[in-house]
C-alpha cells in the first residue's frame, strides 16, 4: 500500500510565497486523492501494490492495459508530489546552489539566473496542466516539461526521455496556485523561486 508522506515542514512554513490554505488543499486533498486512487486501483494486483513508488513508475509497461493509464496518472500524481514537497523549504538566503552542482548549472546554462529564466519560460509555456523539471542523465543537466502527471522517471515516456533523474520540479497545475494567485502563473513561479530547497537539489545531483 502507498502512503501519503507528511510535509517536511509546517503548512505555513512557505508563506508568504505559498500560503497555508493552498498547502492544506494541495497536500491533504489533491496528493491524498492520488494515493487513495492508486491503492484502490491496485488492491487486486499485489505484485504492483507492494512495489516502492519509484519501482512502480519504472514498471508501467508491465501493468495490464485495462488499468494502465489510470495507474500512470495516479502513481505519477503520488511520486511527483513526493518530490515537490521535498524540493521546497522555508526561505533561507544561504540555501543556494554550491560546489559541483553550481558548476554544472553554470556550465549547462551560463549562470543560475539564466537557468531560472529558461526554467521559468518552460513553466509558462506548459499548456494546461503539468510539471517542469530539471533532470540529470549521466550528470548532464536538462530542463524538460511533462503533461498531466507524467514523470521523467517513467518507463513509458517516448524514447530518449526514459529514466531521467529528477533534481528539481515545479507543479504548474492550477490547483498549485489558484487560491492565492488565481490565473497569474507567472507570479506563482516568481514567488516559488524563494522557497526552492537548493540543498536538496544539490544532494540529488551528487548522488
Ligand atoms: Mn499538484
Amino acid at each position: 500500500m502507498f502512503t501519503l508522506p507528511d510535509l517536511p515542514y509546517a503548512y505555513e512554513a512557505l508563506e508568504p510565497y505559498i500560503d497555508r490554505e493552498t498547502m492544506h488543499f494541495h497536500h491533504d486533498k489533491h496528493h491524498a486523492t492520488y494515493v487513495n486512487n492508486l491503492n484502490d486501483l491496485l488492491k487486486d494486483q499485489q505484485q504492483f501494490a507492494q512495489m516502492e513508488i519509484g519501482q512502480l513508475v519504472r514498471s508501467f509497461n508491465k501493468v495490464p492495459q485495462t488499468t494502465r493509464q489510470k495507474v500512470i496518472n495516479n502513481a505519477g500524481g503520488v511520486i511527483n508530489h513526493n518530490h515537490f514537497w521535498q524540493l521546497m523549504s522555508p526561505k533561507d538566503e544561504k540555501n543556494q546552489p554550491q560546489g559541483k552542482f553550481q558548476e554544472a548549472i553554470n556550465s549547462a546554462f551560463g549562470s543560475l539566473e539564466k537557468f531560472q529564466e529558461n526554467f521559468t519560460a518552460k513553466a509558462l509555456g506548459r499548456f494546461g496542466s503539468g510539471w517542469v523539471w530539471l533532470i540529470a542523465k549521466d550528470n548532464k543537466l536538462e530542463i524538460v516539461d511533462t503533461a498531466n502527471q507524467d514523470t521523467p522517471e517513467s518507463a513509458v515516456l517516448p524514447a530518449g526521455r526514459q529514466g531521467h533523474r529528477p533534481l528539481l520540479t515545479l507543479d504548474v497545475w492550477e490547483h498549485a496556485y489558484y487560491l492565492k494567485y488565481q490565473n497569474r502563473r507567472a507570479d506563482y513561479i516568481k514567488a516559488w523561486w524563494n522557497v526552492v530547497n537548493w540543498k536538496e537539489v544539490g544532494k540529488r545531483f551528487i548522488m
Side-chain angles (χ1 to χ4, degrees):
M1 296 293 271
F2 299 95
T3 53
L4 179 68
D6 290 336
L7 290 177
Y9 34 71
Y11 287 93
E12 66 274 17
L14 306 181
E15 289 196 347
Y17 309 105
I18 311 226
D19 61 295
R20 178 199 176 102
E21 198 184 10
T22 296
M23 291 302 286
H24 267 294
F25 272 100
H26 201 173
H27 176 269
D28 305 352
K29 306 291 183 196
H30 289 279
H31 193 183
T33 300
Y34 293 118
V35 173
N36 295 338
N37 287 348
L38 185 60
N39 284 329
D40 202 41
L41 280 163
L42 296 178
K43 64 178 184 294
D44 298 322
Q45 299 183 64
Q46 278 311 303
Q47 72 274 34
F48 299 113
Q50 283 168 8
M51 286 179 173
E52 296 284 339
I53 188 68
Q55 192 191 356
L56 175 62
V57 158
R58 290 185 293 275
S59 309
F60 285 155
N61 51 354
K62 300 189 189 110
V63 174
Q65 283 280 4
T66 46
T67 51
R68 185 181 298 170
Q69 190 57 49
K70 285 180 181 165
V71 171
I72 288 172
N73 294 344
N74 287 286
V78 172
I79 199 168
N80 292 346
H81 289 95
N82 286 355
H83 287 306
F84 189 49
W85 311 135
Q86 288 173 17
L87 288 163
M88 295 188 286
S89 60
K91 186 181 171 81
D92 173 2
E93 296 293 353
K94 284 179 298 216
N95 195 346
Q96 292 293 326
Q98 287 177 357
K100 289 226 180 311
F101 174 62
Q102 184 183 28
E103 288 166 25
I105 285 276
N106 289 341
S107 118
F109 304 103
S111 65
L112 178 62
E113 290 68 31
K114 264 278 169 227
F115 160 68
Q116 288 178 308
E117 272 174 37
N118 293 355
F119 191 100
T120 296
K122 192 68 119 178
L124 288 170
R126 169 78 248 160
F127 182 75
S129 297
W131 296 75
V132 185
W133 307 82
L134 173 66
I135 57 164
K137 194 169 191 186
D138 304 324
N139 278 358
K140 227 181 115 251
L141 300 183
E142 200 185 324
I143 299 167
V144 298
D145 63 339
T146 56
N148 303 315
Q149 294 294 357
D150 287 349
T151 181
E153 292 164 284
S154 163
V156 292
L157 282 177
R161 297 276 298 273
Q162 297 172 4
H164 290 168
R165 184 152 50 89
L167 305 183
L168 176 63
T169 191
L170 173 61
D171 188 343
V172 294
W173 283 58
E174 281 189 347
H175 70 227
Y177 59 90
Y178 203 84
L179 286 179
K180 185 173 170 76
Y181 296 98
Q182 292 80 48
N183 60 324
R184 303 186 310 277
R185 187 187 282 189
D187 292 352
Y188 159 66
I189 299 166
K190 197 172 165 204
W192 171 76
W193 285 116
N194 288 286
V195 293
V196 169
N197 185 357
W198 290 111
K199 205 181 284 176
E200 174 66 20
V201 183
K203 219 160 71 185
R204 288 164 177 236
F205 174 72
I206 301 302
M207 184 172 93

